[in-house]
Amino acid sequence: AQSVSQHNHHVILSEAASLELGCNYSYGGTVNLFWYVQYPGQHLQLLLKYFSGDPLVKGIKGFEAEFIKSKFSFNLRKPSVQWSDTAEYFCAVSNAGNMLTFGGGTRLMVKP
Amino acid sequence: DAGVIQSPRHEVTEMGQEVTLRCKLISGHNSLFWYRQTMMRGLELLIYFNNNVPIDDSGMPEDRFSAKMPNASFSTLKIQPSEPRDSAVYFCASRSGTYGYTFGSGTRLTVV
């Protein structure tokens, strides 16, 4: 069975600080990787996804993530966060059977 | 506009009552997923369908939970009888093509 671990449960940053959220997965086969964002009271929105090719993936709102196969990692990064990035971030993995499994989420608070 | 439409947005019910959550998929999407989100457990996959057929319902917590997909565009999740521990936000998501998932806005269920 596949699983996803997000080690940072809560992150507090000041505006303009750099962000990196960790995501590790366990699955022996081919996976597809996702990062979703959930703003307070809203539904999940896709930030970016990795299927194949360039392991450095660029998403919306200045976010990017790097797939490192040897480390089973897919960390999310943003060079300079804004107050509007305050949200919960979920890493997810999908296997060949298309079942999407989520990590526990990381709550990001950006102080103005 | 999330594209996937869930109703109701909020539901407050008394313990023991039957609750039915509804989800309308985006036209042309062939897979549907029901998730439950709580503070304690994060996002849990309850059940998913491919082409109207339930594929994996191992996440359904108890026999009190049941899900149906009577046609290609609509699904229901029923809880009977409901209990306070069922209080959560329930999301449905649909998928089309290769791993394109879209989430609904969720139903916030409170069982008192």
Side-chain angles (χ1 to χ4, degrees):
Chain A
Q2 60 199 36
S3 65
V4 182
S5 297
Q6 293 181 241
H7 306 296
N8 312 106
H9 299 294
H10 297 273
V11 173
I12 302 174
L13 295 173
S14 298
E15 275 193 316
S18 64
L19 170 73
E20 181 160 1
L21 302 182
C23 173
N24 288 92
Y25 68 92
S26 64
Y27 181 67
T30 301
V31 293
N32 296 281
L33 298 156
F34 307 80
W35 275 97
Y36 285 86
V37 61
Q38 186 177 29
Y39 298 103
Q42 296 191 25
H43 62 278
L44 289 151
Q45 300 173 46
L46 182 66
L47 273 180
L48 50 80
K49 58 184 183 286
Y50 172 80
F51 291 167
S52 63
D54 189 344
L56 184 61
V57 180
K58 294 194 183 299
I60 61 172
K61 305 186 180 187
F63 286 90
E64 65 178 33
E66 184 174 12
F67 170 52
I68 303 179
K69 189 175 181 180
S70 61
K71 295 184 178 180
F72 296 90
S73 70
F74 191 56
N75 292 355
L76 181 71
R77 299 195 292 251
K78 185 171 183 178
S80 176
V81 295
Q82 301 172 315
W83 176 78
S84 58
D85 294 324
T86 294
E88 189 161 14
Y89 293 81
F90 293 91
C91 181
V93 61
S94 174
N95 61 8
N98 301 328
M99 190 173 76
L100 195 61
T101 301
F102 287 90
T106 298
R107 288 184 182 270
L108 172 66
M109 178 182 293
V110 180
K111 297 185 293 184
Chain B
D1 180 12
V4 174
I5 300 172
Q6 290 186 246
S7 63
R9 290 295 304 273
H10 301 273
E11 176 80 27
V12 180
T13 190
E14 291 185 344
M15 182 174 64
Q17 296 297 307
E18 177 181 297
V19 175
T20 300
L21 311 181
R22 297 173 176 79
C23 176
K24 185 176 184 301
L25 282 71
I26 295 174
S27 177
H29 284 203
N30 59 358
S31 296
L32 177 132
F33 304 78
W34 280 102
Y35 286 89
R36 178 172 67 176
Q37 185 179 31
T38 61
M39 288 291 292
M40 293 295 293
R41 298 189 177 194
L43 277 157
E44 302 172 278
L45 176 65
L46 299 177
I47 185 171
Y48 80 98
F49 297 83
N50 271 352
N51 297 317
N52 306 2
V53 177
I55 302 300
D56 187 343
D57 66 353
S58 59
M60 296 285 263
E62 299 173 30
D63 291 344
R64 299 184 296 107
F65 285 69
S66 63
K68 294 182 181 180
M69 195 167 177
N71 58 57
S73 63
F74 183 73
S75 177
T76 59
L77 177 68
K78 185 176 294 185
I79 309 172
Q80 166 63 21
S82 58
E83 297 182 4
R85 60 193 167 118
D86 302 330
S87 298
V89 180
Y90 291 81
F91 288 100
C92 74
S94 69
R95 184 183 65 84
S96 167
T98 308
Y99 311 113
Y101 298 86
T102 302
F103 281 81
S105 298
T107 295
R108 183 174 293 277
L109 173 65
T110 304
V111 183
V112 298

